[in-house]
Amino acid sequence: MDIQPKMPKSWNAATKPHKFCPGCGHGLILKALGQVIDEMGIQDRVVFGCDIGCSLLSWDFFNVDTVQTHHGRTTPVMVGIKKARPDRIVIAYMGDGGGYAIGSQHLVNAATRDDKITVILVNNTVYAMTGGQMAPTTMPGQKTETTPFGRDVEQAGYPMMGPEMVAAITQEGAYVARGSVAKFRKLKEYIRKALENQIAMRGFSFVEALSTCPTNWRTNAEKTWEFVEKIMPEQYPLGELKVPVIKEG
Amino acid sequence: MGIIEGEKKAFMTGNEAVAWAALVAGAEIMYGYPITPQNEIMQYWTRLAPKHGRKFLQTEDELSAGFTTIGGVLTGKRAFTATAGPGNVLMQEPMSMAEAMRIPTVVVVQQRGGPSTATVIYSQQEVTLTCFGGNGEGLRVVYSTSSHQELYDYTIKAFNTAWKYRFPTFVLADGYQAKMRESLVLYDPEERGIEMVPTEPFVGKPGMPGEDRPPAHLRNTYNIEEELEEVLKKDIQEYEQMAPEIIEYDEFNTDGADVLVIAHGVVFRSAAMAVRKLADEGLKVGYFRPITLRPFPQEQLRQAAAKAKQLMVVESAYGQLLKLVKDNLYGMDLPIHTHLRPGVGVTPEEVVADLRTVLEGRED
């Protein structure tokens, strides 16, 4: 008899199996988030916002109130909700294109304003939904549909170091980390801390999650795992970049 | 207790009138980004709001102002923003989402010159944009005001129209109305018997989602053509059903008019003055003014036009109202004269002069 691993309670069982490609990292990130929502007992207080790109496929993923927005605009929608209803726990879920390119002004300004929201940004180094074009996070030399000979930084520029930037522009109450689907327990811990930071209203909280895209990387299982586990962290170091100073009280 | 006791005569700018109207309408939060000529709406709001427990957020651009407004509305608050010109261009992205998801946003537009940065002063060049902006069908309500009293009245009404019918609602004015001072009467809607339509949260309702209530799963993306078609069919049907209930217009002396003048917004005032002057002289001239540009008073205009010999469209744009008029009069055979001054104000004297030319032309 097969025993299936338990689904988080906050997941919407009716929409499983989920709609992501085989080998995609979104399922793992949303599993970590689902487990954290369960463990913290916040399912009835969360408002989840998802962007355009593959993240939009999570619009009915959870049994939590969810708004699917426009490309890059999940941050302002969640900021708007938080301003009007500070008792809600808002999560802006987006890809690297949405957060670092088309919606970068929203990320920069929400972080600078110290809006009490949590952003979870999935870095898989490509625009996946549109078919594998170069993303702000495409690594130097990496081949994509719009960098067929590899990303030439002289011509196409350098990759965006998101958490480093957010850490630099936020106040001391901010929480900033970069996790990976290859280090699931750590990623889950970062997501948990980010949400705790929002609930404590200490400051902006941001987690970048390194993730996989075998469909657009055109990699088999082994190569996919090698890329996310070994190669990506060479460009994108894992760990906490900013942990709020909690005042004794 | 109301914010305004009884009727209060005031002499103020249109922007100030909008801030007061939003306040008495029970708007709880404004999200905004500076652009002339609407800035003072935010400036008055940020002074009034804290005294009444209302909120404000200055955003990084109009995209954010529009999307944060959507966020505020999703929590069940009367939320609004204001913009103009190039800001109105950016505002079309969030309002396209509001249209797709039936989110009752309220946006006040103070038109300035266009295209591009143009002037910070005045125009009627944002008619097409405000009525049909976004990659959709223009399922929105647009009120075109012509005075400070109307700015006040229709800003209050915009919240009720938006929340009753759940289509994004615009109050379309212009830089003259924004910046001029004019007298008007401020009042609490309740004291006039105007009941504010209750609001309702889209997200964050009480109870455990998936157990006590279904979770809100709000989206604007669809997998297949038929899925989208089904949603649009319903929205379009509801829009068309709503239209007769909210269409507003004004008309004068339309019976057997040699010339029927068609104008909206502040230009309507010049047009109306011109028409009344010539009518007083015994000339057969009348006017028709659409107050709702979306939905457009099609039947009413067609009835008025059917009684006229010829038409004259007057606007501070190069044919944006004209396009609406032609579209709505399709199939009727009537000469249409025009007085088009893109980005420039129109005086009653100009309209009188043009009308005389047309009327004399008829006598030839």
Side-chain angles (χ1 to χ4, degrees):
Chain A
M1 189 177 96
D2 288 337
I3 296 175
Q4 294 287 329
K6 215 172 122 194
M7 240 184 243
K9 173 182 162 289
S10 55
W11 276 23
N12 179 6
T15 59
K16 304 297 170 294
H18 60 62
K19 305 160 192 157
F20 298 103
C21 299
C24 172
H26 272 288
L28 281 169
I29 300 162
L30 295 172
K31 183 178 177 185
L33 177 59
Q35 289 179 355
V36 169
I37 289 172
D38 287 0
E39 289 163 17
M40 293 175 74
I42 55 174
Q43 189 182 343
D44 57 344
R45 290 168 64 199
V46 165
V47 180
F48 178 78
C50 56
D51 216 70
I52 294 297
C54 298
S55 73
L56 76 81
L57 296 173
S58 62
W59 72 272
D60 59 355
F61 196 95
F62 293 106
N63 269 338
V64 306
D65 288 349
T66 302
V67 189
Q68 172 259 318
T69 78
H70 282 190
H71 201 22
R73 315 301 175 213
T74 306
T75 303
V77 172
M78 294 297 118
V79 167
I81 290 174
K82 190 71 179 181
K83 283 281 164 195
R85 280 290 302 272
D87 61 328
R88 296 294 97 184
I89 301 159
V90 304
I91 301 165
Y93 187 68
M94 66 195 68
D96 36 30
Y100 295 155
I102 195 168
S104 56
Q105 77 273 40
H106 308 308
L107 177 63
V108 165
N109 283 280
T112 306
R113 280 192 303 259
D114 203 25
D115 289 330
K116 310 298 185 287
I117 68 167
T118 298
V119 174
I120 300 173
L121 186 147
V122 180
N123 173 357
N124 60 8
T125 74
V126 284
Y127 280 88
M129 182 65 96
T130 47
Q133 298 82 11
M134 182 184 76
T137 46
T138 295
M139 312 231 305
Q142 187 182 345
K143 284 183 182 169
T144 70
E145 288 299 323
T146 51
T147 55
F149 310 107
R151 183 175 189 164
D152 172 4
V153 292
E154 288 303 315
Q155 189 265 327
Y158 289 85
M160 173 82 94
M161 304 299 286
E164 286 78 1
M165 174 189 71
V166 172
I169 61 176
T170 40
Q171 301 300 310
E172 63 174 20
Y175 178 81
V176 185
R178 180 186 283 119
S180 169
V181 295
K183 304 264 187 252
F184 182 82
R185 271 175 296 183
K186 273 284 170 201
L187 176 64
K188 188 178 153 188
E189 181 195 323
Y190 297 158
I191 290 173
R192 184 188 179 99
K193 285 184 176 177
L195 289 174
E196 284 169 352
N197 205 48
Q198 179 184 167
I199 292 167
M201 296 292 256
R202 280 194 287 264
F204 189 74
S205 52
F206 183 77
V207 177
E208 182 187 284
L210 302 186
S211 185
T212 52
C213 184
T215 303
N216 287 296
W217 293 353
R218 294 167 192 186
T219 45
N220 61 21
E222 196 183 336
K223 290 283 174 201
T224 300
W225 202 249
E226 187 191 336
F227 194 71
V228 71
E229 189 183 30
K230 303 260 162 55
I231 299 172
M232 283 178 74
E234 289 171 10
Q235 173 71 37
Y236 301 115
L238 302 179
E240 292 179 315
L241 287 94
K242 200 164 195 173
V243 179
V245 185
I246 299 164
K247 292 188 182 85
E248 296 292 324
Chain B
M1 204 185 78
I3 290 164
I4 293 167
E5 299 295 324
E7 311 252 302
K8 194 175 156 193
K9 271 214 145 206
F11 183 70
M12 56 174 59
T13 66
N15 282 336
E16 191 174 2
V18 169
W20 275 103
L23 190 72
V24 299
E28 288 172 83
I29 185 161
M30 178 186 187
Y31 305 85
Y33 184 78
I35 188 165
T36 308
Q38 65 79 34
N39 298 309
E40 294 85 359
I41 297 176
M42 295 185 298
Q43 290 163 211
Y44 287 113
W45 179 261
T46 50
R47 282 156 183 76
L48 291 167
K51 291 181 202 157
H52 302 279
R54 316 295 173 84
K55 295 178 183 174
F56 175 75
L57 177 68
Q58 185 165 327
T59 59
E60 58 274 18
D61 58 18
E62 287 86 353
L63 293 166
S64 184
F67 281 104
T68 48
T69 301
I70 286 173
V73 170
L74 289 175
T75 69
K77 312 279 187 197
R78 285 187 199 91
F80 76 109
T81 186
T83 191
N88 195 9
V89 173
L90 292 184
M91 192 57 70
Q92 294 311 314
E93 192 200 323
M95 290 312 113
S96 160
M97 176 165 142
E99 200 175 304
M101 298 167 83
R102 304 285 300 268
I103 297 168
T105 47
V106 170
V107 180
V108 178
V109 176
Q110 303 286 26
Q111 298 169 93
R112 54 185 266 168
S116 182
T117 316
T119 72
V120 297
I121 306 165
Y122 162 82
S123 86
Q124 291 189 317
Q125 295 171 287
E126 295 170 48
V127 167
T128 307
L129 181 67
T130 308
C131 290
F132 297 104
N135 54 338
E137 307 297 337
L139 303 180
R140 44 195 49 203
V141 177
V142 180
Y143 292 112
S144 171
T145 63
S146 71
S147 69
H148 287 35
Q149 189 64 60
E150 287 186 359
L151 258 181
Y152 188 83
D153 297 344
Y154 282 97
T155 299
I156 294 169
K157 188 177 265 182
F159 286 101
N160 276 348
T161 303
W163 280 96
K164 182 168 179 195
Y165 299 102
R166 307 283 170 102
F167 287 104
T169 302
F170 296 78
V171 177
L172 182 68
D174 56 69
Y176 288 175
Q177 294 184 66
K179 298 276 194 180
M180 274 193 312
R181 279 178 201 278
E182 188 168 278
S183 54
L184 72 155
V185 176
L186 308 180
Y187 55 86
D188 198 302
E190 206 176 296
E191 288 191 23
R192 288 257 179 119
I194 301 167
E195 199 183 319
M196 293 313 293
V197 172
T199 66
E200 190 195 354
F202 292 69
V203 295
K205 288 182 185 174
M208 182 62 73
E211 292 171 25
D212 309 327
R213 62 173 176 92
H217 283 145
L218 312 175
R219 62 166 169 164
N220 54 62
T221 177
Y222 301 98
N223 294 319
I224 56 169
E225 293 165 36
E226 288 76 9
E227 216 179 351
L228 170 65
E229 188 188 28
E230 200 182 305
V231 174
L232 280 178
K233 250 187 190 164
K234 179 173 168 284
D235 288 346
I236 291 167
Q237 193 197 1
E238 287 178 14
Y239 187 84
E240 285 174 350
Q241 214 164 16
M242 159 198 81
E245 294 173 31
I246 64 158
I247 276 172
E248 292 187 42
Y249 66 100
D250 188 10
E251 62 182 7
F252 167 75
N253 222 20
T254 55
D255 281 338
D258 286 332
V259 183
L260 180 71
V261 176
I262 305 168
H264 77 100
V266 82
V267 170
F268 159 73
R269 286 164 73 168
S270 292
M273 280 173 78
V275 165
R276 285 183 186 276
K277 180 183 161 61
L278 295 185
D280 285 347
E281 292 176 16
L283 295 167
K284 292 170 91 174
V285 289
Y287 65 68
F288 184 91
R289 172 206 175 191
I291 297 174
T292 46
L293 297 180
R294 278 293 286 162
F296 196 87
Q298 183 181 62
E299 282 315 307
Q300 295 82 353
L301 175 63
R302 290 178 79 91
Q303 280 166 21
K307 296 182 281 183
K309 293 199 176 70
Q310 48 198 333
L311 308 176
M312 183 193 278
V313 172
V314 184
E315 60 175 320
S316 291
Y318 199 66
Q320 299 197 23
L321 174 64
L322 179 64
K323 228 179 279 173
L324 285 175
V325 166
K326 283 181 177 169
D327 187 29
N328 282 284
L329 292 183
Y330 179 75
M332 291 181 80
D333 190 17
L334 272 172
I336 304 180
H337 304 275
T338 57
H339 186 91
L340 310 176
R341 310 273 332 259
V344 180
V346 176
T347 64
E349 290 76 14
E350 284 169 51
V351 183
V352 166
D354 260 28
L355 274 172
R356 284 197 199 282
T357 310
V358 169
L359 288 164
E360 280 155 20
R362 180 188 59 83
E363 284 159 11
D364 286 338

